[in-house]
């Protein structure tokens, strides 16, 4: 199975940028990189996804390495509401969206 | 927010009893999924559906069955609940099977005593 590796936890200060790393050295050429987050007592929430090019949306930016073996989720200005567990997941083509969630990175945002 | 409703939100039951969890969507999405979340394991896929009456097994399907008689409803049944099935269960939906985000419900916390 294609796997991802993320740090267990990270801390950030409020209103500062946050860079959440993810390694996926066994990624295939057709695997999309998805990011989700999960706030306490809630279901996971889609954040962003991409294939090769960097992606931006209203929530975050996704920077994908040229060799695609790693990616970084960027929160441009962290708020207290961004404190959550962030999951980096590979969406494997023709795998019926069976995305394997790992332990993720627990982000703490300090005021 | 995607229109996904899970019911019940909380349930306590006894070992050996049947349990059915319901997921209802208002988005008319083709794909629906059931996950369980346990400490140390992240989310694991139980079953998924790719259309009415079309379902398939996920990573941890033993002890669970599903049914989808209408586009909007996906039921998860524990025929004879065991304590190892105590977990938080999440339903998700997506428009297609790849390159599409999944949208999750708020979960059902199930305790089996």
């Amino acid at each position: 199975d294609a796997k991802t590796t993320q740090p267990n936890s990270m801390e950030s200060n409020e209103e500062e940028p946050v860079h959440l790393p993810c390694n996926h050295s066994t990624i295939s050429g057709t695997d999309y990189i998805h990011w989700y987050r999960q706030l306490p007592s809630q279901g996971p929430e889609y954040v962003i996804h991409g294939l090769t090019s960097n992606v931006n949306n209203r929530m975050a930016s996704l920077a994908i390495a040229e060799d695609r073996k790693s990616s970084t989720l960027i929160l441009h200005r962290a708020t207290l509401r961004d404190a959550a567990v962030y999951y980096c997941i590979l969406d494997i083509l023709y795998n019926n969206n069976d995305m394997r969630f790992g332990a993720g990175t627990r982000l703490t945002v300090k005021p | 927010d995607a229109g996904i409703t899970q019911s019940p939100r909380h349930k306590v039951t006894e070992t050996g009893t049947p349990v059915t969890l319901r997921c209802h969507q208002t988005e008319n999405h083709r794909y629906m999924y059931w996950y369980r979340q346990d400490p140390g394991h992240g989310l694991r896929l139980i079953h998924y559906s790719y259309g009415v009456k079309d379902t398939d097994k996920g990573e941890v399907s033993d002890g669970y069955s599903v049914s989808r008689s209408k586009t909007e409803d996906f039921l998860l049944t524990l025929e004879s609940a065991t304590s190892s099935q105590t977990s938080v269960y999440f339903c998700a939906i997506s428009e297609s099977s790849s390159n599409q985000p999944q949208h999750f419900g708020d979960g059902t916390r199930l305790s089996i005593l």
Side-chain angles (χ1 to χ4, degrees), chain A residues 77-93:
Chain A
R77 289 183 68 221
T79 70
L80 297 178
R81 292 176 59 186
D82 291 322
V85 178
Y86 287 79
Y87 298 98
C88 167
I89 304 157
L90 298 183
D91 181 7
I92 301 168
L93 188 65

Side-chain angles (χ1 to χ4, degrees), chain A residues 13-77:
Chain A
N13 294 319
E14 196 175 13
E15 298 190 4
E16 290 185 356
V18 182
H19 290 236
L20 297 164
C22 181
N23 289 319
H24 28 78
S25 59
T26 60
I27 193 170
S28 298
T30 53
D31 296 345
Y32 278 80
I33 301 158
H34 285 240
W35 283 83
Y36 288 76
R37 71 180 186 180
Q38 188 172 20
L39 280 65
S41 300
Q42 294 187 22
E45 175 188 26
Y46 166 77
V47 177
I48 200 167
H49 76 288
L51 183 63
T52 56
S53 303
N54 294 344
V55 184
N56 300 293
N57 66 20
R58 64 175 180 82
M59 291 181 67
S61 295
L62 175 61
I64 301 173
E66 193 170 342
D67 64 4
R68 300 189 71 236
K69 294 184 184 299
S70 65
S71 61
T72 302
L73 179 70
I74 303 166
L75 307 179
H76 295 286
R77 289 183 68 221

